[in-house]
Amino acid sequence: MIYLTRRERFNAAHRLFKEGWSDEKNFEVFGKCSNPNWHGHNYELFVTIKGEVNPETGFLINLKQLSAILNEKVIIKMDHKNLNLDVGFMAGKIPSAENIAIAIWNEIEIEINRHNCKLHCVKVVETENNSIKYYGKN
Amino acid sequence: MIYLTRRERFNAAHRLFKEGWSDEKNFEVFGKCSNPNWHGHNYELFVTIKGEVNPETGFLINLKQLSAILNEKVIIKMDHKNLNLDVGFMAGKIPSAENIAIAIWNEIEIEINRHNCKLHCVKVVETENNSIKYYGKN
Amino acid sequence: MIYLTRRERFNAAHRLFKEGWSDEKNFEVFGKCSNPNWHGHNYELFVTIKGEVNPETGFLINLKQLSAILNEKVIIKMDHKNLNLDVGFMAGKIPSAENIAIAIWNEIEIEINRHNCKLHCVKVVETENNSIKYYGKN
Amino acid sequence: MIYLTRRERFNAAHRLFKEGWSDEKNFEVFGKCSNPNWHGHNYELFVTIKGEVNPETGFLINLKQLSAILNEKVIIKMDHKNLNLDVGFMAGKIPSAENIAIAIWNEIEIEINRHNCKLHCVKVVETENNSIKYYGKN
Amino acid sequence: MIYLTRRERFNAAHRLFKEGWSDEKNFEVFGKCSNPNWHGHNYELFVTIKGEVNPETGFLINLKQLSAILNEKVIIKMDHKNLNLDVGFMAGKIPSAENIAIAIWNEIEIEINRHNCKLHCVKVVETENNSIKYYGKN
Amino acid sequence: MIYLTRRERFNAAHRLFKEGWSDEKNFEVFGKCSNPNWHGHNYELFVTIKGEVNPETGFLINLKQLSAILNEKVIIKMDHKNLNLDVGFMAGKIPSAENIAIAIWNEIEIEINRHNCKLHCVKVVETENNSIKYYGKN
């Protein structure tokens, strides 16, 4: 079993707030992240997959294939977007780094597991100080 | 003459577009940066000042003073904000990294030059691949 | 289950030596790290906690709360200090990165586990080449 | 149980190709990595070991010993070398990051496990976007 | 006057040696960089241009145009190549970082200066410890 | 004219204080940096030299020579030392980053200028947020 990690990046706007709460309540819970006019981040996405090395190629997966999946399923939908408004698979979710990581996992798991490997971890780095890792439900 | 650089950070949303242009024209010039629902970045700000070392303290400037100026004049106004909508000193300007650097220079120059040193350079890092340096008008 | 990592930093002096050993013996074991006049590091602390995402907020923990705990329990006590002389919870311990990581774990575990989450890992980065991870006793 | 990670670096040339395949077939599978005249990387190697802290020294292992093992067994053999042609323990293997990580594990495991600790992980970083982790056969 | 820096990357093999010198003489001067079977690096290229901000767009240059120039003139020719054998504009030159920086300057200067800006600096980072800057002949 | 930068590192303890001032006065000016029991940093030193490329070798300077000078004149004297107590060429100076940069310049200028190149800049990075550049007296 070997683990391969691919990094991709996307720059996006978001706002942390709960619909139905007042601005004051939202500010109390989410602080400046609840700014009604949005703010944004340079997100780094690290996707780790695991499996056996193909003895013919020395590869767990062809990185071009992995990168293509991540671009098609995630980056093209999130890069230079508003995570609250523009991203179908985030609809109705508060775009915290936690929820972003879980949502990305759900977007890519099936497709990745088709390639003789298994999705192991989705890591979302929001700032140099804060990051989230999600390993799926089990 | 010695040069001191202080880094500060702010996370903000922005949109590159020219009022009066159609969405198509804006997309042609600004590409995905013109997304009407905004996107955002983790900006890094590097401010460089120059002057003589104070022989009593070994300091060009007390870093706490410099950091306080940058926070009061820049960070508190830009961090977790929308650079198009929320920042008084960016009003009417396209928030490109170029214009951000120039605007920050203009915000801090007078205050910094009061401290026995001179503002030398404002550097704005928008992504790991793109950055701007501005050294003032001369 | 989701994992959140927060980075904090502290700059400290220390000396690796065993009381009762001669300077020669200390130098033999600890090398230049046993310099009697101390040396120091920019330490990076990465604290990882795990738990369930709160469906109301999208948060595992409010980062401000986590950061406040780390500052109160660790950073304020270690930053700009001498790890051999100034830090109560390091008293009598050789301040190797290993012992620092374990001591920080013991300082913060109870407080963190009060917040609907569990401490998962304490990582201490001493230089760009050397780091320690501790996951607790089990 | 505590985990210590040591970083070392080596700069090397390599080519990904399968002997017996045509250049076209190699290019189809390995893309530009199959360039017959080689290309190269600044590899970063992160070796993680695990074990108990020695109460006398506060160390899991003396870093100088660990670094010496890595230099003798790996760095001196791979740094400024051609991974296809110059490295005995890579002979006959396609020098993918996956195979490099496994081969390094096999080179160092016995020696490291002699030092009151166990090899836990070999991580090879090939570019800022791609890395491999290997934890051994079990 | 404002300065914009764009980063691009290329991974390449090279060998430092002087034709006509013996292997011993080459090793004496170039050390392990003269390994006859090549070695390689992850090169980072930072290109800085200078000029006036276009008041219509807030741009010094459209980054897509700059990136396209760098890719067409440099990256496509150097990435995953052997700098001694595969790169036309390096022919007959020892591919030291110094010579790489000068050669890249000469490849891109005319094209960049066509875009209402001037090439200011070419920086080549060979390892985390070594880099070169070239500002042209004047 | 070409510019080459070499990075070296040293880990040291220091204390910012002025002899003759009370602890209160020192704390007022230097804050927590005046802690009587010292604190410390992982310093990064970037030394930039300038000159013409040797057409025989493609080098401005042989990096091994430059690294050897920096190690002999600076690193061996500052690494794992107390900058107030252990470093001859810092005696009587407040070890601010400013004074460290100037002192290192004075230590290495003559030796470097013997090698067909000139010292251009000494940069000292004290933390990820603070750095100093010194270009000599002129």
mmCIF file with all atom_site columns, all heavy atoms in Angstrom, chain A residues 2-3 5-7 56-58 60 62-63, chain D residues 18 29 94 96 98 128-133:
data_model
loop_
_atom_site.group_PDB
_atom_site.id
_atom_site.type_symbol
_atom_site.label_atom_id
_atom_site.label_alt_id
_atom_site.label_comp_id
_atom_site.label_asym_id
_atom_site.label_entity_id
_atom_site.label_seq_id
_atom_site.pdbx_PDB_ins_code
_atom_site.Cartn_x
_atom_site.Cartn_y
_atom_site.Cartn_z
_atom_site.occupancy
_atom_site.B_iso_or_equiv
_atom_site.pdbx_formal_charge
_atom_site.auth_seq_id
_atom_site.auth_comp_id
_atom_site.auth_asym_id
_atom_site.auth_atom_id
_atom_site.pdbx_PDB_model_num
ATOM 1   N N   . ILE A 1 2   ? 0.579  2.161  -0.916  1.00 0.00 ? 2   ILE A N   1
ATOM 2   C CA  . ILE A 1 2   ? 1.360  3.396  -1.011  1.00 0.00 ? 2   ILE A CA  1
ATOM 3   C C   . ILE A 1 2   ? 0.382  4.565  -1.097  1.00 0.00 ? 2   ILE A C   1
ATOM 4   O O   . ILE A 1 2   ? -0.769 4.388  -1.495  1.00 0.00 ? 2   ILE A O   1
ATOM 5   C CB  . ILE A 1 2   ? 2.335  3.327  -2.205  1.00 0.00 ? 2   ILE A CB  1
ATOM 6   C CG1 . ILE A 1 2   ? 3.529  4.237  -1.963  1.00 0.00 ? 2   ILE A CG1 1
ATOM 7   C CG2 . ILE A 1 2   ? 1.634  3.628  -3.524  1.00 0.00 ? 2   ILE A CG2 1
ATOM 8   C CD1 . ILE A 1 2   ? 4.800  3.764  -2.609  1.00 0.00 ? 2   ILE A CD1 1
ATOM 9   N N   . TYR A 1 3   ? 0.839  5.733  -0.665  1.00 0.00 ? 3   TYR A N   1
ATOM 10  C CA  . TYR A 1 3   ? -0.033 6.909  -0.597  1.00 0.00 ? 3   TYR A CA  1
ATOM 11  C C   . TYR A 1 3   ? 0.540  8.005  -1.471  1.00 0.00 ? 3   TYR A C   1
ATOM 12  O O   . TYR A 1 3   ? 1.716  8.372  -1.320  1.00 0.00 ? 3   TYR A O   1
ATOM 13  C CB  . TYR A 1 3   ? -0.134 7.405  0.853   1.00 0.00 ? 3   TYR A CB  1
ATOM 14  C CG  . TYR A 1 3   ? -0.785 6.399  1.766   1.00 0.00 ? 3   TYR A CG  1
ATOM 15  C CD1 . TYR A 1 3   ? -0.074 5.275  2.196   1.00 0.00 ? 3   TYR A CD1 1
ATOM 16  C CD2 . TYR A 1 3   ? -2.092 6.541  2.179   1.00 0.00 ? 3   TYR A CD2 1
ATOM 17  C CE1 . TYR A 1 3   ? -0.671 4.331  3.002   1.00 0.00 ? 3   TYR A CE1 1
ATOM 18  C CE2 . TYR A 1 3   ? -2.689 5.605  3.003   1.00 0.00 ? 3   TYR A CE2 1
ATOM 19  C CZ  . TYR A 1 3   ? -1.976 4.494  3.412   1.00 0.00 ? 3   TYR A CZ  1
ATOM 20  O OH  . TYR A 1 3   ? -2.565 3.555  4.205   1.00 0.00 ? 3   TYR A OH  1
ATOM 21  N N   . THR A 1 5   ? -0.049 11.994 -2.861  1.00 0.00 ? 5   THR A N   1
ATOM 22  C CA  . THR A 1 5   ? -0.768 13.247 -2.606  1.00 0.00 ? 5   THR A CA  1
ATOM 23  C C   . THR A 1 5   ? -0.540 14.219 -3.747  1.00 0.00 ? 5   THR A C   1
ATOM 24  O O   . THR A 1 5   ? 0.600  14.449 -4.158  1.00 0.00 ? 5   THR A O   1
ATOM 25  C CB  . THR A 1 5   ? -0.304 13.878 -1.278  1.00 0.00 ? 5   THR A CB  1
ATOM 26  O OG1 . THR A 1 5   ? -0.573 12.967 -0.216  1.00 0.00 ? 5   THR A OG1 1
ATOM 27  C CG2 . THR A 1 5   ? -1.035 15.189 -1.014  1.00 0.00 ? 5   THR A CG2 1
ATOM 28  N N   . ARG A 1 6   ? -1.633 14.753 -4.235  1.00 0.00 ? 6   ARG A N   1
ATOM 29  C CA  . ARG A 1 6   ? -1.587 15.763 -5.295  1.00 0.00 ? 6   ARG A CA  1
ATOM 30  C C   . ARG A 1 6   ? -2.118 17.083 -4.749  1.00 0.00 ? 6   ARG A C   1
ATOM 31  O O   . ARG A 1 6   ? -3.179 17.105 -4.108  1.00 0.00 ? 6   ARG A O   1
ATOM 32  C CB  . ARG A 1 6   ? -2.452 15.321 -6.469  1.00 0.00 ? 6   ARG A CB  1
ATOM 33  C CG  . ARG A 1 6   ? -2.658 16.352 -7.551  1.00 0.00 ? 6   ARG A CG  1
ATOM 34  C CD  . ARG A 1 6   ? -1.428 16.505 -8.427  1.00 0.00 ? 6   ARG A CD  1
ATOM 35  N NE  . ARG A 1 6   ? -1.556 17.598 -9.372  1.00 0.00 ? 6   ARG A NE  1
ATOM 36  C CZ  . ARG A 1 6   ? -0.570 18.033 -10.148 1.00 0.00 ? 6   ARG A CZ  1
ATOM 37  N NH1 . ARG A 1 6   ? 0.618  17.449 -10.092 1.00 0.00 ? 6   ARG A NH1 1
ATOM 38  N NH2 . ARG A 1 6   ? -0.735 19.033 -10.961 1.00 0.00 ? 6   ARG A NH2 1
ATOM 39  N N   . ARG A 1 7   ? -1.398 18.168 -5.006  1.00 0.00 ? 7   ARG A N   1
ATOM 40  C CA  . ARG A 1 7   ? -1.872 19.492 -4.608  1.00 0.00 ? 7   ARG A CA  1
ATOM 41  C C   . ARG A 1 7   ? -2.499 20.212 -5.780  1.00 0.00 ? 7   ARG A C   1
ATOM 42  O O   . ARG A 1 7   ? -1.937 20.205 -6.883  1.00 0.00 ? 7   ARG A O   1
ATOM 43  C CB  . ARG A 1 7   ? -0.699 20.323 -4.079  1.00 0.00 ? 7   ARG A CB  1
ATOM 44  C CG  . ARG A 1 7   ? -1.143 21.696 -3.547  1.00 0.00 ? 7   ARG A CG  1
ATOM 45  C CD  . ARG A 1 7   ? 0.045  22.547 -3.121  1.00 0.00 ? 7   ARG A CD  1
ATOM 46  N NE  . ARG A 1 7   ? 0.746  23.056 -4.266  1.00 0.00 ? 7   ARG A NE  1
ATOM 47  C CZ  . ARG A 1 7   ? 1.071  24.347 -4.459  1.00 0.00 ? 7   ARG A CZ  1
ATOM 48  N NH1 . ARG A 1 7   ? 0.807  25.243 -3.543  1.00 0.00 ? 7   ARG A NH1 1
ATOM 49  N NH2 . ARG A 1 7   ? 1.713  24.738 -5.542  1.00 0.00 ? 7   ARG A NH2 1
ATOM 50  N N   . GLU A 1 56  ? 4.057  -2.517 -13.854 1.00 0.00 ? 56  GLU A N   1
ATOM 51  C CA  . GLU A 1 56  ? 4.433  -2.141 -15.227 1.00 0.00 ? 56  GLU A CA  1
ATOM 52  C C   . GLU A 1 56  ? 4.938  -0.712 -15.315 1.00 0.00 ? 56  GLU A C   1
ATOM 53  O O   . GLU A 1 56  ? 5.857  -0.414 -16.063 1.00 0.00 ? 56  GLU A O   1
ATOM 54  C CB  . GLU A 1 56  ? 3.212  -2.273 -16.161 1.00 0.00 ? 56  GLU A CB  1
ATOM 55  C CG  . GLU A 1 56  ? 2.903  -3.669 -16.593 1.00 0.00 ? 56  GLU A CG  1
ATOM 56  C CD  . GLU A 1 56  ? 3.076  -3.820 -18.109 1.00 0.00 ? 56  GLU A CD  1
ATOM 57  O OE1 . GLU A 1 56  ? 2.434  -3.051 -18.846 1.00 0.00 ? 56  GLU A OE1 1
ATOM 58  O OE2 . GLU A 1 56  ? 3.859  -4.693 -18.546 1.00 0.00 ? 56  GLU A OE2 1
ATOM 59  N N   . THR A 1 57  ? 4.303  0.195  -14.565 1.00 0.00 ? 57  THR A N   1
ATOM 60  C CA  . THR A 1 57  ? 4.582  1.619  -14.719 1.00 0.00 ? 57  THR A CA  1
ATOM 61  C C   . THR A 1 57  ? 5.276  2.249  -13.519 1.00 0.00 ? 57  THR A C   1
ATOM 62  O O   . THR A 1 57  ? 5.808  3.357  -13.616 1.00 0.00 ? 57  THR A O   1
ATOM 63  C CB  . THR A 1 57  ? 3.268  2.398  -14.928 1.00 0.00 ? 57  THR A CB  1
ATOM 64  O OG1 . THR A 1 57  ? 2.442  2.209  -13.763 1.00 0.00 ? 57  THR A OG1 1
ATOM 65  C CG2 . THR A 1 57  ? 2.527  1.919  -16.166 1.00 0.00 ? 57  THR A CG2 1
ATOM 66  N N   . GLY A 1 58  ? 5.255  1.572  -12.373 1.00 0.00 ? 58  GLY A N   1
ATOM 67  C CA  . GLY A 1 58  ? 5.795  2.197  -11.162 1.00 0.00 ? 58  GLY A CA  1
ATOM 68  C C   . GLY A 1 58  ? 4.862  3.240  -10.577 1.00 0.00 ? 58  GLY A C   1
ATOM 69  O O   . GLY A 1 58  ? 5.223  3.935  -9.633  1.00 0.00 ? 58  GLY A O   1
ATOM 70  N N   . LEU A 1 60  ? 1.142  4.504  -8.850  1.00 0.00 ? 60  LEU A N   1
ATOM 71  C CA  . LEU A 1 60  ? -0.110 4.201  -8.179  1.00 0.00 ? 60  LEU A CA  1
ATOM 72  C C   . LEU A 1 60  ? -1.246 4.632  -9.102  1.00 0.00 ? 60  LEU A C   1
ATOM 73  O O   . LEU A 1 60  ? -2.225 3.916  -9.319  1.00 0.00 ? 60  LEU A O   1
ATOM 74  C CB  . LEU A 1 60  ? -0.167 4.960  -6.846  1.00 0.00 ? 60  LEU A CB  1
ATOM 75  C CG  . LEU A 1 60  ? -1.465 4.928  -6.073  1.00 0.00 ? 60  LEU A CG  1
ATOM 76  C CD1 . LEU A 1 60  ? -1.970 3.520  -5.878  1.00 0.00 ? 60  LEU A CD1 1
ATOM 77  C CD2 . LEU A 1 60  ? -1.275 5.603  -4.727  1.00 0.00 ? 60  LEU A CD2 1
ATOM 78  N N   . ASN A 1 62  ? -1.701 7.464  -12.675 1.00 0.00 ? 62  ASN A N   1
ATOM 79  C CA  . ASN A 1 62  ? -1.087 8.457  -13.535 1.00 0.00 ? 62  ASN A CA  1
ATOM 80  C C   . ASN A 1 62  ? -1.509 9.840  -13.055 1.00 0.00 ? 62  ASN A C   1
ATOM 81  O O   . ASN A 1 62  ? -2.695 10.154 -12.998 1.00 0.00 ? 62  ASN A O   1
ATOM 82  C CB  . ASN A 1 62  ? -1.530 8.226  -14.986 1.00 0.00 ? 62  ASN A CB  1
ATOM 83  C CG  . ASN A 1 62  ? -0.688 9.022  -15.947 1.00 0.00 ? 62  ASN A CG  1
ATOM 84  O OD1 . ASN A 1 62  ? -0.477 10.210 -15.742 1.00 0.00 ? 62  ASN A OD1 1
ATOM 85  N ND2 . ASN A 1 62  ? -0.180 8.359  -16.985 1.00 0.00 ? 62  ASN A ND2 1
ATOM 86  N N   . LEU A 1 63  ? -0.505 10.665 -12.700 1.00 0.00 ? 63  LEU A N   1
ATOM 87  C CA  . LEU A 1 63  ? -0.825 11.968 -12.113 1.00 0.00 ? 63  LEU A CA  1
ATOM 88  C C   . LEU A 1 63  ? -1.669 12.832 -13.029 1.00 0.00 ? 63  LEU A C   1
ATOM 89  O O   . LEU A 1 63  ? -2.449 13.663 -12.560 1.00 0.00 ? 63  LEU A O   1
ATOM 90  C CB  . LEU A 1 63  ? 0.465  12.722 -11.770 1.00 0.00 ? 63  LEU A CB  1
ATOM 91  C CG  . LEU A 1 63  ? 1.039  12.415 -10.399 1.00 0.00 ? 63  LEU A CG  1
ATOM 92  C CD1 . LEU A 1 63  ? 2.430  13.000 -10.282 1.00 0.00 ? 63  LEU A CD1 1
ATOM 93  C CD2 . LEU A 1 63  ? 0.135  12.998 -9.316  1.00 0.00 ? 63  LEU A CD2 1
ATOM 94  N N   . LYS D 1 18  ? 9.731  2.349  -19.871 1.00 0.00 ? 18  LYS D N   1
ATOM 95  C CA  . LYS D 1 18  ? 9.787  0.902  -19.700 1.00 0.00 ? 18  LYS D CA  1
ATOM 96  C C   . LYS D 1 18  ? 10.615 0.336  -20.838 1.00 0.00 ? 18  LYS D C   1
ATOM 97  O O   . LYS D 1 18  ? 10.286 0.539  -22.021 1.00 0.00 ? 18  LYS D O   1
ATOM 98  C CB  . LYS D 1 18  ? 8.371  0.325  -19.729 1.00 0.00 ? 18  LYS D CB  1
ATOM 99  C CG  . LYS D 1 18  ? 8.326  -1.120 -19.279 1.00 0.00 ? 18  LYS D CG  1
ATOM 100 C CD  . LYS D 1 18  ? 6.926  -1.590 -18.996 1.00 0.00 ? 18  LYS D CD  1
ATOM 101 C CE  . LYS D 1 18  ? 6.926  -3.092 -18.808 1.00 0.00 ? 18  LYS D CE  1
ATOM 102 N NZ  . LYS D 1 18  ? 7.840  -3.540 -17.738 1.00 0.00 ? 18  LYS D NZ  1
ATOM 103 N N   . VAL D 1 29  ? 2.390  6.706  -22.113 1.00 0.00 ? 29  VAL D N   1
ATOM 104 C CA  . VAL D 1 29  ? 2.154  6.392  -20.699 1.00 0.00 ? 29  VAL D CA  1
ATOM 105 C C   . VAL D 1 29  ? 2.799  7.425  -19.775 1.00 0.00 ? 29  VAL D C   1
ATOM 106 O O   . VAL D 1 29  ? 2.184  7.893  -18.810 1.00 0.00 ? 29  VAL D O   1
ATOM 107 C CB  . VAL D 1 29  ? 2.696  4.985  -20.366 1.00 0.00 ? 29  VAL D CB  1
ATOM 108 C CG1 . VAL D 1 29  ? 2.638  4.719  -18.853 1.00 0.00 ? 29  VAL D CG1 1
ATOM 109 C CG2 . VAL D 1 29  ? 1.915  3.932  -21.130 1.00 0.00 ? 29  VAL D CG2 1
ATOM 110 N N   . ILE D 1 94  ? 11.728 1.294  -12.438 1.00 0.00 ? 94  ILE D N   1
ATOM 111 C CA  . ILE D 1 94  ? 11.346 2.598  -12.980 1.00 0.00 ? 94  ILE D CA  1
ATOM 112 C C   . ILE D 1 94  ? 11.393 3.602  -11.833 1.00 0.00 ? 94  ILE D C   1
ATOM 113 O O   . ILE D 1 94  ? 10.730 3.386  -10.817 1.00 0.00 ? 94  ILE D O   1
ATOM 114 C CB  . ILE D 1 94  ? 9.931  2.541  -13.584 1.00 0.00 ? 94  ILE D CB  1
ATOM 115 C CG1 . ILE D 1 94  ? 9.908  1.546  -14.763 1.00 0.00 ? 94  ILE D CG1 1
ATOM 116 C CG2 . ILE D 1 94  ? 9.478  3.923  -14.036 1.00 0.00 ? 94  ILE D CG2 1
ATOM 117 C CD1 . ILE D 1 94  ? 8.509  1.292  -15.321 1.00 0.00 ? 94  ILE D CD1 1
ATOM 118 N N   . SER D 1 96  ? 10.019 6.052  -10.536 1.00 0.00 ? 96  SER D N   1
ATOM 119 C CA  . SER D 1 96  ? 8.880  6.873  -10.122 1.00 0.00 ? 96  SER D CA  1
ATOM 120 C C   . SER D 1 96  ? 9.048  7.226  -8.644  1.00 0.00 ? 96  SER D C   1
ATOM 121 O O   . SER D 1 96  ? 9.786  6.556  -7.915  1.00 0.00 ? 96  SER D O   1
ATOM 122 C CB  . SER D 1 96  ? 7.585  6.088  -10.309 1.00 0.00 ? 96  SER D CB  1
ATOM 123 O OG  . SER D 1 96  ? 7.584  4.960  -9.452  1.00 0.00 ? 96  SER D OG  1
ATOM 124 N N   . GLU D 1 98  ? 6.997  6.708  -6.402  1.00 0.00 ? 98  GLU D N   1
ATOM 125 C CA  . GLU D 1 98  ? 6.514  5.545  -5.657  1.00 0.00 ? 98  GLU D CA  1
ATOM 126 C C   . GLU D 1 98  ? 7.666  4.557  -5.438  1.00 0.00 ? 98  GLU D C   1
ATOM 127 O O   . GLU D 1 98  ? 7.909  4.098  -4.313  1.00 0.00 ? 98  GLU D O   1
ATOM 128 C CB  . GLU D 1 98  ? 5.386  4.830  -6.435  1.00 0.00 ? 98  GLU D CB  1
ATOM 129 C CG  . GLU D 1 98  ? 4.060  5.555  -6.469  1.00 0.00 ? 98  GLU D CG  1
ATOM 130 C CD  . GLU D 1 98  ? 3.928  6.508  -7.668  1.00 0.00 ? 98  GLU D CD  1
ATOM 131 O OE1 . GLU D 1 98  ? 4.964  7.030  -8.155  1.00 0.00 ? 98  GLU D OE1 1
ATOM 132 O OE2 . GLU D 1 98  ? 2.786  6.744  -8.110  1.00 0.00 ? 98  GLU D OE2 1
ATOM 133 N N   . GLU D 1 128 ? 6.419  20.542 -5.712  1.00 0.00 ? 128 GLU D N   1
ATOM 134 C CA  . GLU D 1 128 ? 5.530  21.128 -4.695  1.00 0.00 ? 128 GLU D CA  1
ATOM 135 C C   . GLU D 1 128 ? 4.115  20.586 -4.812  1.00 0.00 ? 128 GLU D C   1
ATOM 136 O O   . GLU D 1 128 ? 3.324  20.742 -3.893  1.00 0.00 ? 128 GLU D O   1
ATOM 137 C CB  . GLU D 1 128 ? 5.546  22.652 -4.799  1.00 0.00 ? 128 GLU D CB  1
ATOM 138 C CG  . GLU D 1 128 ? 4.968  23.173 -6.093  1.00 0.00 ? 128 GLU D CG  1
ATOM 139 C CD  . GLU D 1 128 ? 5.167  24.688 -6.283  1.00 0.00 ? 128 GLU D CD  1
ATOM 140 O OE1 . GLU D 1 128 ? 6.199  25.229 -5.859  1.00 0.00 ? 128 GLU D OE1 1
ATOM 141 O OE2 . GLU D 1 128 ? 4.283  25.322 -6.875  1.00 0.00 ? 128 GLU D OE2 1
ATOM 142 N N   . ASN D 1 129 ? 3.802  19.933 -5.924  1.00 0.00 ? 129 ASN D N   1
ATOM 143 C CA  . ASN D 1 129 ? 2.447  19.414 -6.133  1.00 0.00 ? 129 ASN D CA  1
ATOM 144 C C   . ASN D 1 129 ? 2.319  17.913 -5.943  1.00 0.00 ? 129 ASN D C   1
ATOM 145 O O   . ASN D 1 129 ? 1.188  17.417 -5.853  1.00 0.00 ? 129 ASN D O   1
ATOM 146 C CB  . ASN D 1 129 ? 1.968  19.778 -7.547  1.00 0.00 ? 129 ASN D CB  1
ATOM 147 C CG  . ASN D 1 129 ? 1.818  21.274 -7.727  1.00 0.00 ? 129 ASN D CG  1
ATOM 148 O OD1 . ASN D 1 129 ? 1.474  21.990 -6.800  1.00 0.00 ? 129 ASN D OD1 1
ATOM 149 N ND2 . ASN D 1 129 ? 2.109  21.762 -8.914  1.00 0.00 ? 129 ASN D ND2 1
ATOM 150 N N   . ASN D 1 130 ? 3.419  17.176 -5.910  1.00 0.00 ? 130 ASN D N   1
ATOM 151 C CA  . ASN D 1 130 ? 3.355  15.712 -5.924  1.00 0.00 ? 130 ASN D CA  1
ATOM 152 C C   . ASN D 1 130 ? 4.237  15.109 -4.845  1.00 0.00 ? 130 ASN D C   1
ATOM 153 O O   . ASN D 1 130 ? 5.415  15.451 -4.760  1.00 0.00 ? 130 ASN D O   1
ATOM 154 C CB  . ASN D 1 130 ? 3.839  15.163 -7.277  1.00 0.00 ? 130 ASN D CB  1
ATOM 155 C CG  . ASN D 1 130 ? 3.113  15.784 -8.437  1.00 0.00 ? 130 ASN D CG  1
ATOM 156 O OD1 . ASN D 1 130 ? 1.937  16.116 -8.339  1.00 0.00 ? 130 ASN D OD1 1
ATOM 157 N ND2 . ASN D 1 130 ? 3.825  15.986 -9.535  1.00 0.00 ? 130 ASN D ND2 1
ATOM 158 N N   . SER D 1 131 ? 3.678  14.207 -4.070  1.00 0.00 ? 131 SER D N   1
ATOM 159 C CA  . SER D 1 131 ? 4.495  13.504 -3.079  1.00 0.00 ? 131 SER D CA  1
ATOM 160 C C   . SER D 1 131 ? 3.927  12.122 -2.813  1.00 0.00 ? 131 SER D C   1
ATOM 161 O O   . SER D 1 131 ? 2.767  11.837 -3.122  1.00 0.00 ? 131 SER D O   1
ATOM 162 C CB  . SER D 1 131 ? 4.562  14.298 -1.776  1.00 0.00 ? 131 SER D CB  1
ATOM 163 O OG  . SER D 1 131 ? 3.284  14.375 -1.187  1.00 0.00 ? 131 SER D OG  1
ATOM 164 N N   . ILE D 1 132 ? 4.789  11.275 -2.254  1.00 0.00 ? 132 ILE D N   1
ATOM 165 C CA  . ILE D 1 132 ? 4.467  9.874  -1.980  1.00 0.00 ? 132 ILE D CA  1
ATOM 166 C C   . ILE D 1 132 ? 4.813  9.568  -0.533  1.00 0.00 ? 132 ILE D C   1
ATOM 167 O O   . ILE D 1 132 ? 5.831  10.035 -0.031  1.00 0.00 ? 132 ILE D O   1
ATOM 168 C CB  . ILE D 1 132 ? 5.317  8.958  -2.895  1.00 0.00 ? 132 ILE D CB  1
ATOM 169 C CG1 . ILE D 1 132 ? 4.913  9.110  -4.348  1.00 0.00 ? 132 ILE D CG1 1
ATOM 170 C CG2 . ILE D 1 132 ? 5.239  7.496  -2.454  1.00 0.00 ? 132 ILE D CG2 1
ATOM 171 C CD1 . ILE D 1 132 ? 3.548  8.572  -4.701  1.00 0.00 ? 132 ILE D CD1 1
ATOM 172 N N   . LYS D 1 133 ? 3.952  8.766  0.123   1.00 0.00 ? 133 LYS D N   1
ATOM 173 C CA  . LYS D 1 133 ? 4.281  8.236  1.445   1.00 0.00 ? 133 LYS D CA  1
ATOM 174 C C   . LYS D 1 133 ? 4.200  6.724  1.405   1.00 0.00 ? 133 LYS D C   1
ATOM 175 O O   . LYS D 1 133 ? 3.254  6.153  0.861   1.00 0.00 ? 133 LYS D O   1
ATOM 176 C CB  . LYS D 1 133 ? 3.302  8.759  2.503   1.00 0.00 ? 133 LYS D CB  1
ATOM 177 C CG  . LYS D 1 133 ? 3.610  10.152 3.010   1.00 0.00 ? 133 LYS D CG  1
ATOM 178 C CD  . LYS D 1 133 ? 2.664  10.506 4.162   1.00 0.00 ? 133 LYS D CD  1
ATOM 179 C CE  . LYS D 1 133 ? 3.064  11.828 4.819   1.00 0.00 ? 133 LYS D CE  1
ATOM 180 N NZ  . LYS D 1 133 ? 2.101  12.180 5.897   1.00 0.00 ? 133 LYS D NZ  1
#
